[in-house]
């Protein structure tokens, strides 16, 4: 069984490398796979070796690299060994030539022959000039492969080595790595739709100033990422943060509490599980000035009148259907259990994840968190101090027990 936190530990990955300028990114991908505890077998085409020599891959993978079926007496069976022992296989970069051969079952070199023998999940990462990528023949071949069950990772847009601007760049190694993790994660949230809110809200005073809080969005983003990895259809409604949206997640960017309320309520109907992590500003300036407020000479103080924002979670608790599971977060400075339980009642929640804010290793900006889960039935579960991604998975495990 795959551990959701370390889906690559102890797994064997087959990495196919074909001849494109992006081969240098495959070296970094290999490093990431090894660092995550995977064993890696590499198979390279002759063209790939024009860009990076096989020694680099051999040293980093700590395994012989297969380049030629006839180069040594073991190779003709070695390629079958690596094909049958892999848990997942990826070709990055995948050229138009390799894609065409794969689509039609042609096995005329070490790489295509090896991949024809693979029975585990396969991912292809096309990378080439934009016109080549958009060519109907390449697209047709990609369609064939997709229908055969091969996972095609779309290339990024950008400036290509040939100076063209458009689709065709190999995605960054961390992104390919993230998608390989997803391929290997257990899909216990398949068929479930998860709606998450994250980050702070920002309430304008005038065009240059606002009221907000220190929320980094890390906890909500970790939950959205974990749910997507586990097969859920995920929507993330996020206030302004400096994080990249998680892959495969529909991300809606908002600023104010009112924007967040509109987005969350419009998405609520389609959600099975709603997790409200966002640190919503409880109050907003009564009046938003359209021009910058100027100080006048002799002015010692300024009084800003704030009015209460709508409580989004409480509204969702009122609207919630019996088949929906509603989770809140509570950031407290004292009386954690009593305050958390009060919020379960007041907002009609199924569960609340509460943490004490103020400690350096827990709360807003930290990468770690220490939360206690409180359930509607009065039970509770303490989660020790750990990485927010780990907290996310434990929280999802607890939700799964309740909803299944
Ligand atoms: N919340 C919300 N809308 C608000 C305020 C809070 O949806 N206007 C949600 C948060 O996203 C969180 C939960 O309510 O899931 C608890 O937020 P918290 O700030 O801890 O509590 P409050 O209800 O605001 O109460 P207080 O600030 O008095 O502790």
């Amino acid at each position: 069984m795959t551990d959701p936190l370390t889906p690559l530990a102890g797994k064997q990955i087959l990495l196919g490398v074909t001849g494109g300028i992006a081969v240098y990114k495959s070296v970094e991908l290999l490093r990431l796979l090894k660092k995550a505890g995977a064993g890696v077998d590499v198979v390279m085409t002759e063209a790939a070796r024009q860009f990076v020599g096989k020694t680099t891959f051999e040293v980093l993978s700590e395994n012989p690299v297969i380049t030629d079926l006839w180069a040594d007496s073991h190779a003709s069976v070695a390629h079958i060994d690596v094909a049958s022992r892999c848990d997942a296989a990826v070709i990055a970069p995948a050229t138009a030539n390799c894609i065409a051969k794969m689509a039609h079952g042609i096995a005329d070199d070490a790489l295509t022959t090896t991949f024809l023998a693979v029975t585990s999940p396969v991912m292809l990462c096309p990378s080439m000039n934009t016109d080549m990528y958009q060519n109907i023949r390449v697209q047709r071949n990609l369609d064939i492969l997709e229908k055969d069950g091969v996972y095609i990772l779309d290339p990024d847009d950008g400036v290509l080595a040939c100076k063209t601007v458009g689709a065709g760049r190999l995605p960054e190694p961390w992104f390919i790595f993230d998608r390989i993790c997803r391929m290997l994660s257990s899909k216990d949230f398949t068929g479930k739709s998860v709606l998450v809110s994250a980050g702070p809200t920002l309430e304008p005073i005038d065009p240059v100033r606002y009221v907000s809080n220190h929320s980094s969005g890390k906890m909500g983003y970790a939950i959205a990422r974990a749910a997507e990895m586990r097969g859920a259809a995920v929507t993330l409604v996020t206030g302004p943060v400096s994080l990249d949206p998680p892959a495969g997640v529909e991300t809606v960017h908002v600023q104010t509490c009112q924007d967040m309320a509109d987005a969350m309520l419009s998405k609520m109907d389609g959600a099975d599980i709603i997790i409200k992590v966002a640190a919503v500003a409880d109050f907003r300036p009564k009046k938003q000035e359209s021009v910058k407020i100027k100080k006048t000479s002799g002015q010692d103080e300024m009084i800003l009148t704030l009015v209460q924002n709508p409580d989004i979670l409480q509204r969702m608790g009122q609207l919630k259907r019996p088949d929906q599971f509603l989770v809140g977060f509570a950031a407290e400075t004292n009386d954690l259990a009593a305050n958390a339980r009060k919020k379960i009642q007041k907002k009609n929640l199924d569960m609340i994840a509460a943490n004490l804010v103020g400690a350096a290793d827990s709360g807003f900006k930290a990468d770690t968190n220490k939360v206690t889960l409180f359930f509607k039935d009065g039970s509770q579960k303490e989660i020790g101090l750990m990485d927010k991604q780990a907290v996310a998975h434990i929280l999802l495990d607890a939700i799964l027990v309740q909803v299944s």
Side-chain angles (χ1 to χ4, degrees):
M1 173 101 177
T2 304
D3 178 350
L5 276 175
T6 53
L8 283 167
K11 300 288 180 189
Q12 196 65 31
I13 308 296
L14 175 61
L15 174 61
V17 187
T18 69
I21 188 68
V23 170
Y24 70 96
K25 289 186 180 171
S26 326
V27 176
E28 178 61 13
L29 174 63
L30 167 57
R31 229 182 46 82
L32 292 173
L33 293 168
K34 289 291 289 181
K35 206 169 143 203
V40 185
D41 292 303
V42 179
V43 50
M44 296 177 80
T45 63
E46 166 60 32
R49 283 185 290 145
Q50 299 292 326
F51 292 93
V52 178
K54 76 169 183 174
T55 313
T56 305
F57 286 95
E58 227 148 43
V59 170
L60 290 173
S61 70
E62 302 171 281
N63 271 324
V65 169
I66 299 176
T67 55
D68 182 348
L69 294 179
W70 313 108
D72 66 69
S73 55
H74 303 298
S76 55
V77 287
H79 75 278
I80 298 295
D81 283 351
V82 298
S84 57
R85 76 174 176 170
C86 70
D87 297 291
V90 54
I91 303 184
T95 57
N97 184 43
C98 158
I99 291 166
K101 289 198 276 186
M102 294 269 296
H104 297 283
I106 294 170
D108 66 349
D109 60 13
L111 187 141
T112 47
T113 307
T114 304
F115 270 75
L116 211 49
V118 170
T119 54
S120 50
V122 176
M123 181 165 99
L124 273 190
C125 309
S127 168
M128 65 200 76
N129 159 272
T130 306
D131 291 332
M132 286 172 76
Y133 175 65
Q134 287 169 348
N135 186 294
I136 181 112
R137 275 155 275 171
V138 172
Q139 289 300 317
R140 193 164 48 223
N141 289 332
L142 287 170
D143 274 355
I144 292 173
L145 287 163
E146 199 155 33
K147 285 192 185 108
D148 286 350
V150 173
Y151 176 55
I152 310 293
L153 189 68
D154 290 338
D156 283 349
D157 279 9
V159 182
L160 306 181
C162 56
K163 308 276 188 282
T164 315
V165 179
R169 270 166 67 107
L170 186 69
E172 292 307 313
W174 67 264
F175 187 79
I176 304 174
F177 172 81
D178 183 86
R179 296 298 81 191
I180 297 172
C181 288
R182 185 180 190 276
M183 272 208 304
L184 288 168
S185 293
S186 69
K187 301 290 182 296
D188 49 3
F189 272 71
T190 300
K192 302 217 173 348
S193 166
V194 178
L195 175 60
V196 182
S197 77
T201 65
L202 189 152
E203 313 293 335
I205 299 170
D206 68 13
V208 294
R209 304 181 181 95
Y210 56 82
V211 174
S212 190
N213 58 62
H214 290 300
S215 170
S216 65
K218 286 177 185 168
M219 192 65 244
Y221 275 58
I223 292 171
R225 178 171 185 258
E228 193 270 342
M229 289 264 177
R230 291 167 73 160
V234 184
T235 302
L236 173 66
V237 175
T238 173
V241 295
S242 56
L243 301 172
D244 288 325
V249 168
E250 182 199 0
T251 305
V252 181
H253 294 273
V254 296
Q255 290 237 323
T256 64
C257 169
Q258 192 55 57
D259 296 342
M260 185 172 277
D262 294 344
M264 290 297 283
L265 293 171
S266 76
K267 300 278 179 193
M268 183 176 179
D269 237 12
D272 303 307
I273 298 158
I274 301 153
I275 310 174
K276 187 108 205 350
V277 195
V280 183
D282 287 325
F283 294 91
R284 67 176 184 280
K286 186 171 185 182
K287 189 155 179 260
Q288 185 191 335
E289 300 295 342
S290 57
V291 291
K292 188 181 169 197
I293 301 169
K294 292 285 189 191
K295 60 180 180 298
T296 50
S297 61
Q299 183 185 17
D300 294 338
E301 61 178 35
M302 178 190 165
I303 294 170
L304 188 65
T305 306
L306 302 176
V307 291
Q308 204 173 120
N309 264 330
D311 191 313
I312 308 168
L313 188 60
Q314 191 163 344
R315 184 73 192 125
M316 294 182 107
Q318 289 159 355
L319 296 172
K320 169 172 105 75
R321 298 189 308 262
D323 63 310
Q324 291 179 307
F325 194 84
L326 185 59
V327 182
F329 264 70
E332 305 294 344
T333 53
N334 55 293
D335 299 329
L336 187 77
N339 284 326
R341 290 199 190 289
K342 247 187 256 166
K343 284 177 190 172
I344 290 192
Q345 294 302 324
K346 186 173 158 205
K347 306 196 188 195
N348 189 27
L349 307 179
D350 296 292
M351 179 178 134
I352 196 159
N355 68 320
L356 282 174
V357 285
D361 54 5
S362 154
F364 280 165
K365 294 246 186 284
D367 289 325
T368 50
N369 209 354
K370 188 176 180 209
V371 307
T372 305
L373 306 180
F374 296 90
F375 300 90
K376 193 167 61 178
D377 65 5
S379 60
Q380 69 183 68
K381 179 184 167 73
E382 203 155 314
I383 306 177
L385 180 72
M386 57 184 80
D387 179 72
K388 283 184 175 167
Q389 203 61 56
V391 174
H393 279 290
I394 293 174
L395 182 120
L396 291 177
D397 290 344
I399 293 173
L400 207 54
V401 169
Q402 302 282 322
V403 298
S404 45

